[in-house]
Amino acid sequence: MTFRNSLLLLVWFSLLLGQARAQTYDFVVAKDGSGQFRTVQEAINAVPDFRKNQTTIYIKNGVYKEKLTLPPTKTNVRLVGQDVKKTILTYDDYAVKKNRFGEEMGTTGSTSFYVYGDDFTAENITFENSAGPVGQAVAVRVDGDKVIFRNCRFLGFQDTLYPHGEKSRQYYQNCYIEGTTDFIFGWSTAVFENCEIFCKKGGNYITAASTLEGAPYGFVFLNCRLTGDAPQNSFYLGRPWRPFAKTVFINTYLGKHIKPEGWHNWSKPEAEKTTFFAEYNSTGPGAASKNRVPWSKQLTAQEAQQYTLKNIFQDWDPKAEKQTPQAAK
């Protein structure tokens, strides 16, 4: 075969591969008009209600300043960004900001992206609340069940990520989440696996779970890294927003910014009897297990083995869901 024929064959295969990749996306969003839609909300609105098959929306690089809502009628939606650091969905509302009637928006009202639909997946996307250090300002609030975020970033200060749904199951894999105070908070059962949790200067609490009484699991961190630019001994692992809060860290690296006592009771001594704050095999300069508050728990190896995705999520296996090659980075 001549060099020219080989080159033509290579071009032909490349075109076929490009077509095959293009066909994996139902809609394309691009600010420059090269897709079907210029905004993410337009693409979400175009998804048929209660579709049983998955609708995949590819979002090209760009900063999309939109206050987004995925309604409960938009099920099985999958958002895929072109590049996690260049595909940015952002808005800048905050809790004490006034609406058109002169009323404060509140924590929920500050949200940049509301996720109400079940079976939602996002990959390779940055979700941001860009309001700055102005109090509560949520980047993403999640109410839908069986929600997955892979290789995503969540940027903000106070109350960055709000796993809100009481019966919502959520899985975060290879994600980056940053904030100052209570920046992972809410009722949901959420697993964070191989994630980086970045504690910013000016903050003091990572989690504020409000787990329902009787719920077997709340927030579970597996093989994560707690990093940050906060001063030494300045951050608690968590505090109980509600009395039955559950938060567990397993095989997690804790930076020097983690306080030796580990946990705070939110000035509610009675919550010490009902919360479940625990660790297993913590490492790093913040892993001062002997100095933890006496009402927290160090799990045994046998107890830690119970924290599997199967036990936590029951009939849902998030790792069986489709993912793009980029999400594995």
Side-chain angles (χ1 to χ4, degrees), residues 17 20 27 66 116 170 193 217 271 307 310-311:
L17 182 60
F27 300 139
E66 304 179 50
Y116 296 111
Q170 303 171 27
E193 187 167 19
Y217 301 97
Y307 287 85
K310 173 64 176 175
N311 287 343

Side-chain angles (χ1 to χ4, degrees), residues 96-167:
V96 297
K97 183 178 179 179
K98 302 295 179 60
N99 63 22
R100 67 179 60 188
F101 299 105
E103 306 155 342
E104 291 188 355
M105 289 187 165
T107 301
T108 288
S110 74
T111 303
S112 300
F113 186 17
Y114 300 92
V115 179
Y116 296 111
D118 291 343
D119 297 288
F120 172 75
T121 299
E123 303 172 12
N124 309 326
I125 296 172
T126 291
F127 299 93
E128 178 185 45
N129 188 306
S130 59
V134 291
Q136 296 97 330
V138 179
V140 180
R141 170 178 146 160
V142 183
D143 285 76
D145 187 30
K146 297 185 287 185
V147 171
I148 300 171
F149 292 92
R150 291 194 181 99
N151 195 40
C152 289
R153 299 194 305 158
F154 301 84
L155 309 184
F157 286 81
Q158 183 172 350
D159 292 0
T160 305
L161 178 60
Y162 195 0
H164 178 269
E166 294 180 355
K167 296 182 180 180

Side-chain angles (χ1 to χ4, degrees), residues 317-328:
D317 180 7
K319 290 193 173 182
E321 302 289 336
K322 182 196 302 183
Q323 60 181 300
T324 59
Q326 297 97 317

Side-chain angles (χ1 to χ4, degrees), residues 78-275:
R78 176 170 166 249
L79 302 184
V80 179
Q82 183 177 356
D83 184 302
V84 64
K85 292 186 178 180
K86 297 178 181 179
T87 305
I88 302 171
L89 311 186
T90 183
Y91 210 74
D92 56 2
D93 281 343
Y94 52 96
V96 297
K97 183 178 179 179
K98 302 295 179 60
N99 63 22
R100 67 179 60 188
F101 299 105
E103 306 155 342
E104 291 188 355
M105 289 187 165
T107 301
T108 288
S110 74
T111 303
S112 300
F113 186 17
Y114 300 92
V115 179
Y116 296 111
D118 291 343
D119 297 288
F120 172 75
T121 299
E123 303 172 12
N124 309 326
I125 296 172
T126 291
F127 299 93
E128 178 185 45
N129 188 306
S130 59
V134 291
Q136 296 97 330
V138 179
V140 180
R141 170 178 146 160
V142 183
D143 285 76
D145 187 30
K146 297 185 287 185
V147 171
I148 300 171
F149 292 92
R150 291 194 181 99
N151 195 40
C152 289
R153 299 194 305 158
F154 301 84
L155 309 184
F157 286 81
Q158 183 172 350
D159 292 0
T160 305
L161 178 60
Y162 195 0
H164 178 269
E166 294 180 355
K167 296 182 180 180
S168 169
R169 293 168 290 177
Q170 303 171 27
Y171 179 63
Y172 300 78
Q173 183 182 36
N174 301 332
C175 290
Y176 170 90
I177 307 163
E178 69 172 30
T180 53
T181 300
D182 302 336
F183 61 96
I184 303 174
F185 72 111
W187 281 266
S188 307
T189 296
V191 173
F192 303 84
E193 187 167 19
N194 297 322
C195 292
E196 180 178 1
I197 313 300
F198 190 91
C199 302
K200 300 169 76 168
K201 287 186 294 186
N204 38 29
Y205 304 95
I206 297 174
T207 66
S210 51
T211 318
L212 287 179
E213 182 178 3
Y217 301 97
F219 297 157
V220 179
F221 296 82
L222 304 174
N223 306 309
C224 291
R225 302 169 307 286
L226 307 189
T227 63
D229 59 7
Q232 184 171 350
N233 299 337
S234 61
F235 260 84
Y236 292 96
L237 295 170
R239 59 179 178 171
W241 184 15
R242 296 289 187 270
F244 294 92
K246 286 185 169 67
T247 304
V248 177
F249 291 86
I250 296 176
N251 298 327
T252 295
Y253 172 88
L254 312 183
K256 65 181 181 180
H257 58 292
I258 300 302
K259 285 177 170 286
E261 56 267 44
W263 308 90
H264 192 275
N265 66 6
W266 209 327
S267 301
K268 298 182 284 192
E270 66 279 6
E272 297 178 6
K273 301 176 183 179
T274 53
T275 59

